[in-house]
Amino acid sequence: MIDLIATLQPLVVGAVLIWSARVKLVSTHAAAAANRSALARLVGQDRALPAYRLLGGMEVTLGGLLLLPPVLRAEALAATVLAVAFLGYLAYARRAAPTSSCGCLSARPTPVSGRSLARAGLLAVAGGLALLATEGWSTALAGRPPAGVGVLLVELAAVVALSPELDHVWLLPLRRLRARLTHPLRGGSGVPLLATVQQLQLSDAYRRVAPLLRSDVREHWDDGDWRFVGHAARYQGRLVTAVFAVPLTDREPDAVRVAVVDNATGHTLLSLAGTPPAAGPRLSVVPA
Amino acid sequence: MAALRGEVSWFCCGSAWGPCGTAGGGACGTCSSGNYQHAWPNTSDACLAITRPDRCGVTGMARRGCGFRHYTTNLCNGARVGTTIADCGPQTDLFCGERTCCGSACGSNRIIDLTPAAYSAIASLSAGLRPCSVDTV
Amino acid sequence: MNQTLDRRRLLATAALGGVVGATGLGSLAPEAAFAAEPATIDSGAPDPNFAEGRISKISGSMLLVTGSDTVLHSIRITDGTSIWKLHPTTFDKVAIGDGLYARGVRLPDGTLAADSVWLNIVNLHGHIAAVGRNVLHLDHQGRRIVAHVVPDRSAAVYNGTPAVSDLSLLRVGRHVQVLGAWHPDTNEVDIATVYAAA
């Protein structure tokens, strides 16, 4: 069995290398992928794309040699060296530039994760096994088709499972399906404070008073159909509270009212009542 | 550069607490949450390839390098802050078409991210998104 | 408690316009009334009226904060200070170890009299890698962040629409911005607002 597995490894490694080279050589997003990768840090921003392309060239050449007969031990050795070097590069990237993208099998921004490292390790092991191959993979596959296809499928599944770039093809749809079936996100009911704040900020009352405000929302409470929102403010040198009354359920920014109340005396210094739009002054200042 | 209208948010950078701790000094290496700084989507070709404001139809976003000064006005209250470029961002194309309003003043698409010090000078950190206009004078 | 209720009643009545006989400021034109003390801000350097760091000591109404750059800040919480910790809250919720951003006025003695304090506030971008029971698993710059939905607190904004408390429209694989409160002990996050693109 080990003979069969070893014999099939040039096919596996070759296919992964060619797949990997595809994004580096023909993808229209190669430049972005190169810039996002740790190569930009390793060799500099200007040299990242040429280095990325060069790597792709090496991958496609080596991949082609592995796939095509004759079987040479040197090819397997070169593939193993490349895989080990790549493993070292990924370990470096993860340590030195953790926010960089792998740039491995897809132009999608994909951070270097434990799975990427495991995949590079798998390829190194596969390259090592290929050193033991004594015949061409096509001969072996023709000799024992069911076992050969089984080995290839298992390895393909392992590579796919270890490729975060491919999660959107199988893992995310599965998770989406699970979410659709189980409805895990409920949140709450009622009107979130942010909805009130958004409505408040759409109002003219807010736009007039906003320059006076000193603090974020300091307090808020509901009373009947209204939600009240208080900010600390400063008005003509006094410490005041700007309190907004916002309709709780209806979305009516025009109905938002505000009063500016002196903290020391409790007197209302100013109030703005939402007024009907159209003609006339849009807001009335109510001398309180 | 004519004033550019859009949305402003905030981001943390430099050595800091929490999940921000790994953010580092940004693309320019100088970014710090306590400074008046910002991220700009067009600091280099590499930066633009990531942020892609063109995908949202945003034009007029000039190429500016580290240290260049922009002025951001919060359209909700007129408050304005001057900040210098310290990072690449925001990723405009991830929120194409998003729109935020205050009264009749609206901004579409994310065009700038300010440090907490700068953002809190013109808006509340708890309101993570504001309509803004950005200019250079 | 009664004091709070009385105060709220006063404020509510004022906002709804039911108060008469207070100070007569006359018929000010709105523009004149609201020509606020303008804040002209222009700098590329640190702002003295801003502080960032973690709370190392709480003494009365003072917070001793160690900045990430190791600078120490004394921050005074006043009656007018807003305190945010996932939502607007009160001084008793402030804890040692909390991360903080504060904005206020730097006094001559070096103390920052805080207008607003935001505790543990974070603003993260990431892709939703998975969802669990009221939990989002986010891929954030190569790291996994667990973000909890807090019923009746968490809100969602879908592509700029008004905030709603229903988060069920969030989809695995989508990009989101999460504004929330970080837990210093677990490194996880409670969601205040999640902004999702269309």
Side-chain angles (χ1 to χ4, degrees):
Chain A
M1 188 65 182
I2 192 80
D3 282 353
L4 177 68
I5 295 176
T7 310
L8 290 177
Q9 293 317 299
L11 173 59
V12 173
V13 179
V16 172
L17 285 178
I18 288 177
W19 181 17
S20 170
R22 183 188 50 98
V23 55
K24 300 181 178 79
L25 296 177
V26 300
S27 166
T28 48
H29 306 300
N35 280 318
R36 273 193 291 257
S37 76
L39 276 177
R41 173 140 176 176
L42 190 64
V43 300
Q45 198 80 256
D46 297 339
R47 285 189 286 255
L49 184 59
Y52 197 60
R53 299 258 197 229
L54 181 67
L55 181 63
M58 284 165 63
E59 286 176 339
V60 74
T61 309
L62 196 53
L65 287 173
L66 282 166
L67 289 184
L68 298 172
V71 183
L72 294 178
R73 197 147 289 174
E75 294 168 9
L77 189 63
T80 312
V81 170
L82 187 66
V84 170
F86 197 66
L87 188 60
Y89 161 75
L90 288 183
Y92 158 83
R94 198 173 147 122
R95 217 174 55 99
T99 57
S100 66
S101 170
C102 182
C104 305
L105 296 189
S106 141
R108 274 171 181 266
T110 314
V112 179
S113 64
R115 289 159 75 200
S116 323
L117 287 167
R119 185 182 56 203
L122 180 73
L123 281 185
V125 171
L129 275 174
L131 285 169
L132 306 173
T134 50
E135 56 180 338
W137 58 265
S138 53
T139 319
L141 199 55
R144 298 165 68 184
V149 170
V151 168
L152 288 178
L153 284 180
V154 168
E155 287 200 65
L156 177 69
V159 170
V160 170
L162 291 175
S163 298
E165 298 92 337
L166 300 175
D167 283 355
H168 68 283
V169 176
W170 66 281
L171 186 58
L172 296 189
L174 276 183
R175 288 178 174 164
R176 251 177 240 138
L177 180 65
R178 193 182 65 186
R180 198 168 300 147
L181 296 175
T182 59
H183 303 291
L185 296 175
R186 292 171 194 273
S189 52
V191 182
L193 176 62
L194 182 65
T196 305
V197 170
Q198 284 176 330
Q199 188 180 176
L200 187 164
Q201 289 176 340
L202 286 173
S203 69
D204 262 329
Y206 175 80
R207 297 252 291 157
R208 295 294 176 90
V209 177
L212 309 180
L213 304 183
R214 307 285 303 179
S215 79
D216 198 351
V217 173
R218 223 171 66 68
E219 57 182 334
H220 63 99
W221 67 96
D222 296 351
D223 193 349
D225 294 336
W226 297 91
R227 177 170 285 169
F228 297 90
V229 177
H231 291 259
R234 189 175 279 272
Y235 176 63
Q236 294 186 338
R238 304 176 210 220
L239 294 175
V240 297
T241 297
V243 59
F244 294 88
V246 186
L248 190 53
T249 45
D250 302 328
R251 200 169 164 77
E252 294 178 71
D254 285 341
V256 173
R257 298 153 166 252
V258 63
V260 171
V261 179
D262 192 318
N263 287 353
T265 63
H267 290 161
T268 304
L269 302 179
L270 281 170
S271 69
L272 292 179
T275 50
R282 295 172 65 202
L283 288 168
S284 58
V285 173
V286 183
Chain B
M1 180 180 100
L4 191 62
R5 269 198 180 203
E7 295 172 311
V8 56
S9 187
W10 61 271
F11 73 116
C12 60
C13 60
S15 62
W17 46 266
C20 182
T22 54
C28 304
T30 57
C31 194
S32 170
S33 291
N35 289 356
Y36 277 5
Q37 292 172 320
H38 69 276
W40 184 245
N42 188 4
T43 59
S44 65
D45 283 340
C47 172
L48 199 59
I50 296 169
T51 59
R52 297 300 301 271
D54 55 299
R55 283 188 182 159
C56 307
V58 176
T59 54
M61 186 165 283
R63 169 69 51 87
R64 305 292 188 195
C66 292
F68 186 87
R69 180 161 302 180
H70 281 113
Y71 296 86
T72 305
T73 305
N74 175 354
L75 297 181
C76 295
N77 59 9
R80 186 168 190 262
V81 65
T83 53
T84 54
I85 292 180
D87 204 352
C88 166
Q91 261 190 276
T92 310
D93 66 338
L94 291 175
F95 287 94
C96 268
E98 190 186 50
R99 185 175 159 92
T100 308
C101 296
C102 260
S104 56
C106 296
S108 293
N109 297 310
R110 300 184 174 212
I111 56 169
I112 194 166
D113 270 356
L114 300 178
T115 55
Y119 190 88
S120 65
I122 60 169
S124 285
L125 294 177
S126 64
L129 206 56
R130 302 278 75 195
C132 73
S133 83
V134 176
D135 53 43
T136 55
V137 285
Chain C
M1 190 64 184
N2 280 339
Q3 216 176 348
T4 307
L5 286 178
D6 287 347
R7 189 167 161 279
R8 286 186 170 179
R9 197 168 297 131
L10 172 83
L11 292 172
T13 314
L16 293 178
V19 165
V20 285
T23 58
L25 287 173
S27 53
L28 282 169
E31 286 70 22
F34 298 121
E37 297 95 90
T40 42
I41 304 144
D42 178 19
S43 169
D47 176 5
N49 296 320
F50 178 84
E52 169 277 336
R54 292 187 74 171
I55 299 172
S56 46
K57 192 176 167 196
I58 302 171
S59 169
S61 62
M62 293 286 279
L63 305 178
L64 198 67
V65 171
T66 309
S68 297
D69 51 4
T70 69
V71 171
L72 290 177
H73 301 277
S74 297
I75 296 174
R76 183 183 300 283
I77 305 295
T78 69
D79 284 346
T81 307
S82 67
I83 300 174
W84 186 98
K85 193 172 183 178
L86 186 64
H87 51 92
T89 187
T90 46
F91 185 69
D92 54 309
K93 299 292 189 295
V94 182
I96 289 172
D98 282 347
L100 151 157
Y101 296 117
R103 174 159 286 287
V105 178
R106 189 72 69 167
L107 303 178
D109 66 358
T111 306
L112 184 75
D115 290 322
S116 302
V117 168
W118 296 275
L119 297 169
N120 298 333
I121 192 168
V122 292
N123 192 9
L124 305 166
H125 283 265
H127 284 87
I128 302 176
V131 292
R133 176 67 60 199
N134 275 346
V135 168
L136 299 182
H137 298 270
L138 300 174
D139 269 336
H140 167 71
Q141 298 184 336
R143 293 190 309 142
R144 190 56 70 84
I145 289 194
V146 178
H148 297 271
V149 177
V150 183
D152 299 326
R153 293 284 183 208
S154 302
V157 175
Y158 299 104
N159 201 33
T161 52
V164 291
S165 50
D166 177 14
L167 276 72
S168 63
L169 293 177
L170 297 174
R171 291 280 174 269
V172 173
R174 303 305 277 273
H175 183 88
V176 289
Q177 175 190 350
V178 170
L179 200 130
W182 168 68
H183 286 280
D185 43 352
T186 62
N187 221 19
E188 297 180 351
V189 167
D190 282 342
I191 298 172
T193 311
V194 51
Y195 296 86

